[in-house]
């Protein structure tokens, strides 16, 4: 047990898309919470104790109990605060479809897949990274189609899972010298819609320029420059 | 839509641990189903049509609609056939814990992690593969502890996710010249308990020797011999 007096706490890192998922989900549900900013190069004792397996943010603490893994947290939040509308449909088949697309987004539009772009200098590896990233994004764009959100008229599970990565597009574009909008206009329009239409997203996503500055720091740390 | 007249059908490959998960889940729920054996080197038009994104087995067809990804199928089965007891607990925190361990098992005890053992000749790469595989299995062993099943007294979601890989242990041991039981006695005892205690598992898991012969074929195909 963790002594947090029952408060909802997120062990957080502001630029982490995974942490953004959890904060968006909490805000969608109107849950008050505190964040504790982690130094990922000098992780707190609390983080190491609460997530000993992965040692990663975000950790969600609720009723003094820790929950790890962002998509599992989003589902936990959905099942715990049931007054607000659910992120997932009620029909089992529709639920399975939403989980499929969130899983696809999670596997293909990830920190690692982005790092193949910003973590390489211009050249073959970066080109491969861009190609795969855009191919995956195009599959998601086809699934989105002309819907408002991935959840249809409802901002849902797939939207929560994917929209944090929208805040990294600018940094990827600057590092990789390409335009996401030119390749995936519907995805970029959807990202703008999420920021404009959902307070939860607007309150959570950092400025693109700030993410880019963070990515430049990461490039120095990883010796890309 | 797929014309299967509402039957439950699994596009299957007998040695795939992922397909085993789905078949175990259906059998636990007492659902009658047909399997269609796929040739993974010459996939059927139906498989490519129903799972165009991943092109992988298993595909579960129910009421003429396809569902992909084994863990999503297991959750779908759990939510659709609710007369039999659920694989997941009802309490959101306990559900999140079960999902966490199934996800950990899925990421670390996988076809790919096994392939690092059987897909390499004796040597450094294989040793690294064995080390990582056993380290992950020990984390799972610690989580199992002295419980009957990962689900406690109930054969649950984590059990369904992990037990198929028990049928591959013998092949890995033969290829890697080691003993899983020497390193993880509780996991092996749990695997035996699942086979002895659950008809669903006994009816689904292939003989270890048959899996080993299949792995020898894979080693030829991948040029390991």
């Amino acid at each position: 047990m963790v002594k947090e007096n029952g408060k909802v706490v997120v062990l957080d890192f502001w630029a982490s898309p995974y942490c953004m998922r959890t904060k968006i989900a909490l805000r969608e549900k109107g849950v008050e919470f505190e964040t504790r900013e982690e130094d990922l190069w000098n992780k707190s004792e609390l983080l190491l104790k609460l997530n000993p397996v992965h040692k990663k943010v975000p950790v969600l603490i609720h009723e003094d109990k820790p929950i790890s893994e962002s998509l599992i947290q989003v589902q936990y939040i959905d099942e715990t605060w049931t007054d607000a509308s659910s992120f997932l449909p009620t029909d089992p088949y529709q639920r399975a479809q939403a989980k499929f697309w969130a899983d696809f987004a999670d596997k293909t539009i990830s920190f690692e897949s982005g790092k193949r772009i910003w973590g390489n200098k211009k050249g073959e590896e970066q080109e491969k990274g861009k190609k795969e990233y855009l191919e995956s994004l195009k599959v998601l764009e086809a699934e989105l189609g002309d819907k408002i959100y991935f959840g249809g008229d409802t901002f849902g599970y797939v939207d929560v899972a994917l929209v944090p990565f929208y805040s990294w597009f600018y940094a990827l574009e600057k590092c990789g010298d390409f335009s996401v909008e030119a390749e995936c206009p519907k995805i970029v329009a959807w990202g703008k819609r999420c920021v404009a239409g959902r307070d939860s997203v607007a309150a959570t996503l950092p400025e693109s320029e700030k993410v880019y500055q963070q990515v430049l720091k990461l490039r120095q740390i990883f010796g890309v420059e």
Side-chain angles (χ1 to χ4, degrees), chain A residues 130-190:
Chain A
K130 274 157 62 175
K131 186 164 172 285
E132 284 185 20
Y133 195 93
L134 287 170
E135 275 172 5
S136 300
L137 217 46
K138 281 177 189 173
V139 172
L140 288 161
E141 171 147 308
E143 167 58 20
L144 175 65
D146 293 318
K147 289 180 290 190
I148 299 175
Y149 297 118
F150 282 91
D153 293 338
T154 313
F155 180 81
Y157 186 59
V158 184
D159 300 289
V160 176
L162 185 61
V163 76
F165 292 88
Y166 170 70
S167 67
W168 280 63
F169 284 176
Y170 175 75
L172 298 183
E173 290 174 327
K174 292 281 277 186
C175 294
D177 195 19
F178 70 117
S179 160
V180 176
E181 192 163 19
E183 304 277 342
C184 299
K186 287 182 181 177
I187 287 284
V188 170
W190 158 85

Side-chain angles (χ1 to χ4, degrees), chain A residues 10-109:
Chain A
V10 178
L11 304 189
D12 191 27
F13 179 67
W14 68 271
S16 158
Y18 303 101
C19 296
M20 292 180 212
R21 286 175 175 167
T22 303
K23 292 179 286 184
I24 290 169
L26 288 168
R27 287 180 171 128
E28 280 289 323
K29 294 284 189 170
V31 179
E32 282 191 31
F33 63 97
E34 262 179 35
T35 59
R36 305 267 167 85
E37 193 70 7
E38 285 284 332
D39 175 353
L40 299 186
W41 281 267
N42 184 20
K43 292 174 182 173
S44 73
E45 287 296 318
L46 190 63
L47 173 58
L48 300 177
K49 184 182 151 200
L50 298 189
N51 191 358
V53 172
H54 299 302
K55 303 176 178 68
K56 283 183 179 172
V57 291
V59 174
L60 173 67
I61 307 171
H62 179 225
E63 293 182 342
D64 302 332
K65 293 191 296 261
I67 298 140
S68 296
E69 297 293 87
S70 61
L71 287 180
I72 294 172
Q73 291 166 2
V74 173
Q75 291 187 33
Y76 173 82
I77 291 163
D78 205 26
E79 293 170 2
T80 299
W81 288 279
T82 51
D83 282 354
S85 65
S86 178
F87 304 135
L88 280 164
T90 47
D91 173 66
Y93 182 74
Q94 296 301 329
R95 289 168 70 83
Q97 294 309 103
K99 288 174 193 168
F100 175 86
W101 288 110
D103 176 73
F104 177 79
D106 190 58
K107 283 175 177 157
T108 62
I109 306 298

